[in-house]
Amino acid sequence: MYWVQANRVYTEKVQMNDGHWIPGIAFGTYVYNLTERTGVYQSVITAVEGGCRHIDTAYLYLTEDLVGKAVENVIDRGIVKREDLFITTKLSFRVLTRAQVIPSIKESLKRLKLDYVDLVLIHTPCDVLGLKPGFPKKSECSRNHTLEVWKGLEDAKRLCLTRSIGVSNFNSTDMASILADSDTVPAVNQIETNPTFAHQELVAYCQSKNIVVTGYAPFGFLVSRPFNDLALPPTVDDPFLVSQAEKYDVTIDRCIIPIAASLKPEHIKSNMRTAGFALREKAILRINKYDRNVKLPAKSAYYETFQSKDVRLLIDGNILPIPAFGTAVPVNQLKDLRQAVLWAIESGWRTIDTDVNEDIIAEAVNEAIRCGLVTREELFIIARLPLEVAKRKRVVPALESTLKRLQMDYVDLFIVNSPLNLSGKKKFNLLDLWTGMEDAKELGLTKSIGVGNFRKEDLISILPYCTTKPAVNEIEVNPTFTNIELVEYCQKQAIIVMAYAPLGFAVPRPEVTKRPPPSLTDPVLVKMAKKYDVTTAQVLLRYVIERGTVPITRSVNKNHIKQNRDILNFTLTDEEVDIINGYNKNWPVYPAEKRLNDYNIKMEHASRRNKKLY
Ligand SMILES: NC(=O)c1ccc[n+]([C@@H]2O[C@H](COP(=O)([O-])OP(=O)(O)OC[C@H]3O[C@@H](n4cnc5c(N)ncnc54)[C@H](OP(=O)(O)O)[C@@H]3O)[C@@H](O)[C@H]2O)c1
């Protein structure tokens, strides 16, 4: 077959324009489908065992953590030393300023468990932006952004966070603008190159500037791609390719370093063996004739998290399953909570927002795991910092106590749930407290850290100074409290808004006698519900999703629990979202004083339930 290879480990290296050497073949860790993500760990190990020394990852692929673990594995087992490996990663495309570059690379290094990477690339010159709420729009990006980010990469190189710096998906105009305005020439341009998209002019341009081209998707349409039905020649049984492969017992060579990705051990091993032969120029020219200038459609796990119905990507690279199941039930329903959480897990809920009730959640989760309904890794557990904690040094001990109550080694997200102290007046020193949250993340006690009920001014008091940005802000969002400005501000900062009380006053609220519209029987909502063959509650939950936020909804009713998760298969129109926005009265279900009062009542019950734990 086309990619039958010579039985030799590829060790050739190419010297880049900065003097460093790059191995001649890379192993790619991009996955089309997030469900395949975990396979990357074993495939990187197989690739290194098979002789590959160059691993290619990116923030966007959501595989840096798995590459990190695999690299740790092969180093620990003495298969390679760190200095034998060449690790490439790429910046998130949310990085648009010079100042954002170093923190972003430091986050990547943490996931990769490395002190430095060998190569960092700008992933794209802004052309994939503007996809969803909260992400930079194309109009906000310009050539200046690219130059700014390039300066940031130069800073990172000076600080030895990376040995080399380069770009990806840059055309010759993008390349020329960097070359004109900067002192450092990119060492690499990583672009798509395969028989149907040979990119001959760009390859020639880069090579004329002494820039190494690494080619992704080298098999082009030769291999099946899950997201298109194009079947362009050449195919795997193309007679010319087969004859060449048989002649050399090898694959093609176009002076381009291929980045081949595979999760199949037999492919990984054979792909690593492409050295020791060269196609004749005539054969290369013949393969170039397949060029149709047809690019593979852009698609990756990262896009998937935008478009994916059931997960969101957090700014730190962790993945949040949606929607979230709320557990802050009134105290008279605490007796029903264990069963409700079990029903929720059974119906597919994976994100559980705990409250002052971790002991009950622990019982339910342990039972679900024992019954084989779910594994701990599949769950996303959110916990909150107790409101009494106001100082950095008390954060880690507080989370350790929470973990004891939850009977877990880590939580997925830990939240500072209020910028106010228990009297509801004095503000904490939020930055000091947030540093404690960063300590907790650093220690691995929580995977992500976030905030709750933070207003814009509270966020501003930490964002410019913190090392790790809050991944989420848990705030109230519903028709009577649309919270539009704060939602938009968070989204601009790439902070995911988790929307609590999404059903607003449409459902009974014990302390409120007169509720503002809409109710669940509101004719406008009923009409929308009929149109999509759903309930009015589902319309309201979908409304917060259309706003780019993640609903946290609770119920102890089995039917409601099932129904509330079934909101991922229809979408409201922009006009319908505007109509629902029209109910806004800036009237929250949970004003600050109510939240603090509820907290005190729940604490009293919790310590009565189990003095030792609370
Ligand atoms: N961070 C914070 O400060 C904060 C503050 C408040 C809330 N939260 C979080 O957000 C979660 C949700 O807020 P919330 O408690 O106000 O929740 P909500 O989901 O807006 O409202 C819950 C109420 O709606 C009813 N309900 C649920 N699904 C329904 C359906 N399909 N049809 C009709 N009625 C339905 C429930 O009754 P049934 O049980 O009968 O279904 C319950 O009475 C909380 O549990 C908590 O995790 C966080």
Side-chain angles (χ1 to χ4, degrees):
M1 258 219 290
Y2 169 59
W3 59 80
V4 171
Q5 318 293 337
N7 194 19
R8 219 170 292 144
V9 170
Y10 195 94
T11 52
E12 278 177 23
K13 291 181 175 189
V14 179
Q15 191 167 27
M16 297 181 285
N17 57 31
D18 61 5
H20 292 296
W21 293 78
I22 182 168
I25 185 165
F27 182 71
T29 61
Y30 154 99
V31 286
Y32 293 122
N33 190 326
L34 281 174
T35 55
E36 293 176 345
R37 205 180 82 90
T38 47
V40 168
Y41 168 68
Q42 187 52 52
S43 65
V44 170
I45 293 176
T46 309
V48 175
E49 286 174 346
C52 180
R53 297 296 175 257
H54 181 175
I55 310 294
D56 181 76
T57 182
Y59 172 89
L60 194 119
Y61 303 166
L62 306 178
T63 53
E64 287 177 321
D65 55 336
L66 297 159
V67 170
K69 272 203 225 161
V71 164
E72 185 178 57
N73 175 300
V74 287
I75 293 176
D76 283 354
R77 288 190 297 127
I79 292 172
V80 281
K81 297 198 195 77
R82 168 65 186 95
E83 51 277 25
D84 299 332
L85 290 174
F86 189 99
I87 311 288
T88 299
T89 194
K90 305 173 200 101
L91 292 174
S92 154
F93 60 61
R94 285 179 180 132
V95 172
L96 291 174
T97 65
R98 181 174 185 169
Q100 287 170 332
V101 174
I102 287 178
S104 170
I105 296 180
K106 284 187 174 166
E107 281 290 316
S108 287
L109 288 173
K110 238 187 256 170
R111 285 189 288 273
L112 286 162
K113 301 173 177 242
L114 298 175
D115 303 328
Y116 69 94
V117 276
D118 296 275
L119 177 63
V120 180
L121 308 176
I122 299 181
H123 204 143
T124 172
C126 290
D127 64 343
V128 288
L129 301 170
L131 288 173
K132 279 273 163 183
F135 289 87
K137 297 187 175 57
K138 273 188 194 181
S139 56
E140 292 173 36
C141 301
S142 65
R143 183 172 156 266
N144 285 342
H145 283 102
T146 308
L147 287 173
E148 274 288 293
V149 174
W150 185 250
K151 280 186 197 142
L153 277 185
E154 290 176 326
D155 299 338
K157 185 169 154 71
R158 269 192 295 278
L159 288 176
C160 301
L161 299 177
T162 179
R163 298 225 159 131
S164 300
I165 56 178
V167 295
S168 178
N169 299 305
F170 273 44
N171 61 27
S172 46
T173 315
D174 303 322
M175 297 295 302
S177 76
I178 293 237
L179 294 178
D181 287 309
S182 122
D183 299 334
T184 322
V185 177
V188 163
N189 188 12
Q190 185 181 117
I191 53 175
E192 178 178 333
T193 38
N194 51 52
T196 34
F197 194 53
H199 245 144
Q200 292 172 56
E201 277 176 29
L202 182 56
V203 171
Y205 173 85
C206 291
Q207 289 174 345
S208 76
K209 303 286 178 200
N210 198 16
I211 295 165
V212 170
V213 174
T214 55
Y216 67 78
F219 297 133
F221 291 98
L222 273 164
V223 292
S224 70
R225 306 276 171 185
F227 46 85
N228 75 74
D229 1 285
L230 272 178
L232 293 174
T235 53
V236 284
D237 50 5
D238 180 277
F240 178 69
L241 290 180
V242 171
S243 72
Q244 292 296 303
E246 280 170 3
K247 181 168 168 193
Y248 299 105
D249 197 16
V250 289
T251 184
I252 56 165
D253 170 5
R254 288 182 53 244
C255 300
I256 293 163
I257 294 173
I259 304 170
S262 173
L263 294 176
K264 296 202 180 106
E266 66 277 19
H267 287 174
I268 297 170
K269 283 179 193 151
S270 66
N271 290 347
M272 293 309 123
R273 299 190 180 110
T274 53
F277 76 98
L279 290 182
R280 300 246 163 90
E281 202 175 333
K282 239 168 101 183
I284 294 172
L285 290 175
R286 172 119 186 231
I287 293 169
N288 281 346
K289 283 199 180 135
Y290 292 112
D291 192 359
R292 302 278 183 286
N293 203 20
V294 178
K295 202 174 180 329
L296 291 171
K299 180 130 178 12
S300 74
Y302 193 71
Y303 290 103
E304 196 130 300
T305 57
F306 288 128
Q307 288 157 2
S308 161
K309 291 190 296 197
D310 45 21
V311 292
R312 290 289 174 271
L313 175 68
L314 301 179
I315 194 167
D316 56 18
N318 291 326
I319 294 164
L320 168 72
I322 70 160
F325 189 73
T327 62
V329 292
V331 289
N332 64 349
Q333 287 186 356
L334 282 168
K335 58 180 181 347
D336 306 319
L337 187 57
R338 182 177 155 280
Q339 180 61 67
V341 172
L342 277 168
W343 280 331
I345 295 175
E346 212 171 53
S347 333
W349 294 81
R350 291 296 173 259
T351 297
I352 298 174
D353 187 32
T354 70
D355 189 45
V356 189
N357 55 20
E358 299 103 327
D359 52 329
I360 302 174
I361 306 296
E363 276 181 40
V365 165
N366 281 339
E367 181 156 353
I369 294 174
R370 223 180 8 254
C371 301
L373 281 179
V374 78
T375 61
R376 168 66 187 94
E377 293 70 33
E378 284 165 340
L379 290 172
F380 190 101
I381 305 289
I382 306 175
R384 312 206 187 137
L385 185 70
L387 290 190
E388 293 81 356
V389 177
K391 285 213 156 47
R392 173 181 180 174
K393 65 173 189 232
R394 291 196 52 211
V395 174
V396 166
L399 179 51
E400 284 167 344
S401 302
T402 296
L403 290 173
K404 223 180 259 171
R405 293 192 288 270
L406 281 168
Q407 301 174 35
M408 290 175 188
D409 303 330
Y410 68 94
V411 288
D412 296 274
L413 174 63
F414 193 44
I415 284 180
V416 180
N417 196 38
S418 176
L420 305 172
N421 72 4
L422 272 176
S423 72
K425 287 184 191 132
K426 228 173 74 204
K427 276 174 75 175
F428 301 140
N429 178 342
L430 290 179
L431 189 57
D432 178 65
L433 198 61
W434 186 252
T435 315
M437 299 293 282
E438 291 176 333
D439 297 340
K441 178 165 159 49
E442 193 75 31
L443 288 169
L445 301 175
T446 179
K447 294 201 167 166
S448 297
I449 48 179
V451 295
N453 300 300
F454 269 42
R455 301 155 298 186
K456 184 172 171 184
E457 65 264 35
D458 303 320
L459 289 166
I460 288 173
S461 72
I462 62 169
L463 285 177
Y465 317 104
C466 62
T467 313
T468 305
K469 269 185 169 190
V472 311
N473 190 9
E474 200 174 288
I475 54 176
E476 180 168 336
V477 182
N478 53 48
T480 35
F481 194 68
T482 49
N483 223 337
I484 286 181
E485 270 177 38
L486 183 54
V487 169
E488 283 182 2
Y489 176 75
C490 291
Q491 292 180 335
K492 271 219 152 109
Q493 306 300 322
I495 296 170
I496 297 274
V497 171
M498 298 195 70
Y500 69 70
L503 298 176
F505 288 107
V507 291
R509 302 290 176 182
E511 293 93 348
V512 184
T513 42
K514 197 168 179 310
R515 291 183 279 147
S519 70
L520 289 182
T521 53
D522 184 290
V524 175
L525 295 185
V526 170
K527 193 172 160 204
M528 288 181 200
K530 278 202 177 128
K531 175 174 165 193
Y532 298 109
D533 196 17
V534 294
T535 66
T536 45
Q538 286 171 309
V539 168
L540 292 182
L541 296 176
R542 188 68 216 182
Y543 155 77
V544 297
I545 294 190
E546 305 304 358
R547 297 264 318 274
T549 71
V550 174
I552 315 175
T553 184
R554 75 171 157 87
S555 173
V556 291
N557 172 309
K558 192 174 184 182
N559 286 338
H560 290 168
I561 291 173
K562 272 192 178 164
Q563 186 190 110
N564 293 353
R565 195 172 177 277
D566 193 14
I567 51 170
L568 305 174
N569 294 317
F570 72 103
T571 51
L572 300 176
T573 63
D574 290 350
E575 293 71 36
E576 287 163 341
V577 170
D578 281 345
I579 291 171
I580 299 177
N581 280 338
Y583 290 104
N584 185 37
K585 290 210 162 30
N586 291 327
W587 185 347
V589 173
Y590 296 101
E593 39 314 344
K594 174 167 168 49
R595 287 198 312 267
L596 300 173
N597 193 33
D598 283 358
Y599 177 78
N600 282 326
I601 297 173
K602 285 173 191 168
M603 273 309 274
E604 208 184 300
H605 273 260
S607 49
R608 238 184 280 149
R609 240 183 359 256
N610 197 333
K611 271 210 167 65
K612 270 194 198 149
L613 287 175
Y614 286 89

